[in-house]
Structures are given as C-alpha cells and as structure tokens.
C-alpha cells in the first residue's frame, strides 16, 4: 500500500530473516554500508536476541567508523521492558550499548509515544547523508497498544523528536511547578507504570520527566528542565532494570556533572542482580509494584 501513495518517492521492503542474529545483523550491516542512502532497520522478536550478535555489534556496528571510516546508519529495534516475560525475554541489554557509547559513535533512544518513535525514525532518515550513525532503539512490547503511548495526528504531522519530555501535568498547567520537591527521571516503560499508579494522584510534590535519548546524553535539554522547578529537593532516577543494568550507571555521572551535585541524586529500581529479570510473573509484579511505591513516596529510596 505504501508504494501506491501518490507522493511516495522511496522503496519500502519487509523481509523475514532466519533465526541467526549474528549472521543477519552482519548482512544488514554490509547492506547498509553498500546502500548508505537507505534506512535499514532490523527488529528483534525480543530484545535479548541481540546477545548472540554481540560479536557483530562490537566488531562492526559501534566501531566501524573508528576502525575503517565506515559510516553505518543501521537501526536496531530491540524490545525491552520488564513485563513478566522472564529473564530471556525482557532486556535488550541497554547497559551494554551505553557502555560502548563514546566519541558520538551511535544514538541510543527509548521512545515512549508513537509520535516520538515516528520522529526518531524520520530524523534518522534525514541524517543519512549528513550525519549517519547507528541507532539503537528500545521498544517495549506492552506499549504497542497502550493508550498512554498514543499520539494525535497533529503530534505526528507537526511535532519533532524531543530528547527529554517534561511531566505533562506540568506542561498542561494541571499542577504547579512551585510545589515540586522530587523530580523523577526515567526512561521507557516504567514511566507508564508510574503515571498509571493510583498513588500518582496524591503526589503533587512529585514530577516525572522522561529521558528519551540516552546517548548522546541530552544535557542541553535537561538544564532548562531542572531550572523550571525552583524548589527541587532531590532528583531520583527510577528504572525497572537491576542496578547494574539499564541506564543508571551511564546516567549517574552525566547528571552529577550537569547539576554539580546541587541536589541529592537517588536511585530506585531493582538491586544488583546476575539475572536480567525474575523467572516468575508473580514475583515480577511484586517487585515492579515496590519500585512504583518507593518512587511515589517521599523519603523512600532503594539504597
């Protein structure tokens, strides 16, 4: 159907690939280098499918430019979000990509709305000829049809990619910035868990902002965000991943550099673990609820 649009000027192709992630991503990388004008996307059924392609990621995708002046712009779509699916179907290993991020060698994003995802891909396509970089996108499955992830036609037609999203209750004037004492920063699916909680209604002193672009880290967008809350007492990074995973380790020094430690910076999330996620859906729900409860209760931290 896309080829029959009167204004269509580009080819659009979808191909299923064999279940060999290292081979497939290796092929996609080569195709991307040979056809730099094309926007090439590879999507995993689950984020952890990236595990067996780690050699291709390390050797080519994140270091191809530094080694050989190649300019890959391959997009990897990795379903990532703690949804009770167990340790083998929860994580796209966000922390690995952030650890390999340096010298502006890629872009890493975790969009939470349809418009954000749309404009992220549009920006990637626009930059193919001027600033090509690999794009790593965390894409939680549970948000595919979630009402809070929906966007209006105006947001799709007239909006743009935003590395940071402020609390919509503050943007719409439903709550006062003057009342905010705790500013929560988070990325991805955990935002929906936080704002969907009944506890959220009784917390006018808490604002929740989303860091949608994790690398390059959006310092220029975060500084005015912090300034817009004149009575902040603390910053809290909330994530659903274990402490040694997710974005915390990469975000912490960046946030401390931006704020010059003007406010306490706290972490709320799962403790350090060897396993990415619980193997029990029941335990997942308990732990997820505990994270939300601590985040929306002033004075509670996970340590």
């Amino acid at each position: 159907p896309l080829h029959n649009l009167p204004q269509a000027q580009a080819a659009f192709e979808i191909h299923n690939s064999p279940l060999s992630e290292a081979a497939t991503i290796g092929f996609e990388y080569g195709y991307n280098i040979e056809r730099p004008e094309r926007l090439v996307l590879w999507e995993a059924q689950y984020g952890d499918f990236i595990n067996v392609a780690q050699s291709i990621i390390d050797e080519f995708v994140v270091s191809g430019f530094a080694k050989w002046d190649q300019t890959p712009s391959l997009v990897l779509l990795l379903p990532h979000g703690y949804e009770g699916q167990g340790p083998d179907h929860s994580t796209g290993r966000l922390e690995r990509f952030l650890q390999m991020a340096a010298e502006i060698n890629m872009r890493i994003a975790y969009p939470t709305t349809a418009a954000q995802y749309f404009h992220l891909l549009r920006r990637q396509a626009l930059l193919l000829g001027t600033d090509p970089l690999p794009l790593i996108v965390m894409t939680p499955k549970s948000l595919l049809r979630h009402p809070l992830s929906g966007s209006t036609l105006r947001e799709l037609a007239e909006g743009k990619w935003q590395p940071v999203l402020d609390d919509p209750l503050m943007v719409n004037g439903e709550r006062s910035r003057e009342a905010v004492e705790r500013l929560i920063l988070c990325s991805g699916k955990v935002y929906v868990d936080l704002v969907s909680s009944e506890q959220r209604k009784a917390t006018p002193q808490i604002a929740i902002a989303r860091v949608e672009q994790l690398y390059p880290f959006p310092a220029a967008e975060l500084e005015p965000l912090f300034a817009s809350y004149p009575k902040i007492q603390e910053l809290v990074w909330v994530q659903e991943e274990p402490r040694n995973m997710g974005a915390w380790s990469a975000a912490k020094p960046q946030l401390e550099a931006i704020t010059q430690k003007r406010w306490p910076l706290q972490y709320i999330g799962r403790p350090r673990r060897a396993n990415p996620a619980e193997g029990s859906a029941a335990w997942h729900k308990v732990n997820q609820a505990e994270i939300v409860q601590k985040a929306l209760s002033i004075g509670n931290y996970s340590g």
Side-chain angles (χ1 to χ4, degrees):
L2 292 176
H3 284 274
N4 293 318
L5 293 174
Q7 65 270 37
Q9 298 180 10
F12 182 77
E13 302 174 13
I14 301 175
H15 299 276
N16 286 327
S17 61
L19 194 60
S20 172
E21 290 79 20
T24 305
I25 293 181
F27 170 83
E28 300 292 3
Y29 180 90
Y31 181 76
N32 177 219
I33 294 299
E34 283 293 308
R35 294 287 183 268
E37 75 282 359
R38 288 199 172 192
L39 180 65
V40 182
L41 297 84
W42 181 83
E43 182 177 26
Q45 183 180 6
Y46 290 99
D48 62 279
F49 282 23
I50 204 69
N51 286 344
V52 295
Q54 200 64 36
S55 59
I56 299 295
I57 302 299
D58 293 355
E59 186 71 16
F60 296 97
V61 177
V62 304
S63 58
F65 179 75
K67 291 177 179 177
W68 310 297
D69 281 337
Q70 292 183 337
T71 54
S73 56
L74 180 63
V75 181
L76 300 181
L77 307 175
L78 307 178
H80 175 95
Y82 283 52
E83 299 161 350
Q85 295 288 327
D88 293 328
H89 285 331
S90 294
T91 176
R93 289 296 187 178
L94 173 60
E95 65 280 354
R96 289 184 187 167
F97 289 101
L98 290 170
Q99 187 179 44
M100 292 185 289
E103 302 178 297
I104 317 297
N105 61 334
M106 57 180 154
R107 302 182 183 97
I108 303 173
Y110 200 167
T112 54
T113 71
Q116 282 285 88
Y117 178 58
F118 175 65
H119 292 300
L120 177 65
L121 293 183
R122 288 185 72 228
R123 182 184 69 164
Q124 182 74 359
L126 183 66
L127 294 175
L128 289 178
T130 58
D131 189 17
L133 288 174
L135 172 63
I136 314 303
V137 190
M138 300 292 125
T139 57
K141 286 192 171 185
S142 66
L143 299 192
L144 283 173
R145 296 176 178 83
H146 199 288
L148 291 177
S149 296
S151 299
T152 65
L153 291 177
R154 181 177 296 275
E155 289 169 332
L156 290 165
E158 300 177 6
K160 64 177 182 179
W161 167 249
Q162 300 179 71
V164 176
L165 293 177
D166 197 357
D167 191 322
L169 296 180
M170 307 299 169
V171 174
N172 298 333
E174 296 178 44
R175 291 190 176 182
S176 170
R177 294 179 183 272
E178 297 282 336
V180 173
E181 298 176 3
R182 169 183 285 185
L183 176 58
I184 290 176
L185 300 175
C186 62
S187 287
K189 175 192 155 290
V190 73
Y191 168 79
V192 173
D193 295 335
L194 290 167
V195 299
S196 300
S197 171
E198 286 295 317
Q199 201 174 344
R200 168 71 167 148
K201 298 176 182 178
T203 55
Q205 70 274 48
I206 297 177
I208 305 173
R210 285 163 281 176
V211 181
E212 303 264 297
Q213 179 172 297
L214 293 162
Y215 188 82
F217 200 72
E221 287 79 14
L222 284 169
E223 288 174 349
L225 174 75
F226 296 153
S228 72
Y229 293 100
K231 296 184 179 179
I232 296 178
Q233 299 297 314
E234 58 183 351
L235 292 178
V236 178
W237 182 269
V238 176
Q239 67 178 37
E240 52 192 350
E241 302 94 341
R243 187 173 185 139
N244 56 318
M245 303 178 195
W248 167 244
S249 295
K252 182 176 184 286
Q254 298 277 4
L255 291 171
E256 289 177 340
I258 296 170
T259 64
Q260 297 296 302
K261 299 184 179 181
R262 281 175 287 170
W263 311 288
L265 176 59
Q266 305 291 342
Y267 166 86
I268 294 178
R270 285 171 169 79
R272 296 179 66 88
R273 287 181 176 164
N275 212 16
E278 301 87 353
S280 161
W283 273 116
H284 159 77
K285 291 179 181 179
V286 169
N287 291 330
Q288 201 76 0
E290 183 180 5
I291 291 171
V292 172
Q293 189 274 329
K294 285 183 176 180
L296 298 179
S297 299
I298 291 292
N300 283 330
Y301 313 114
S302 64

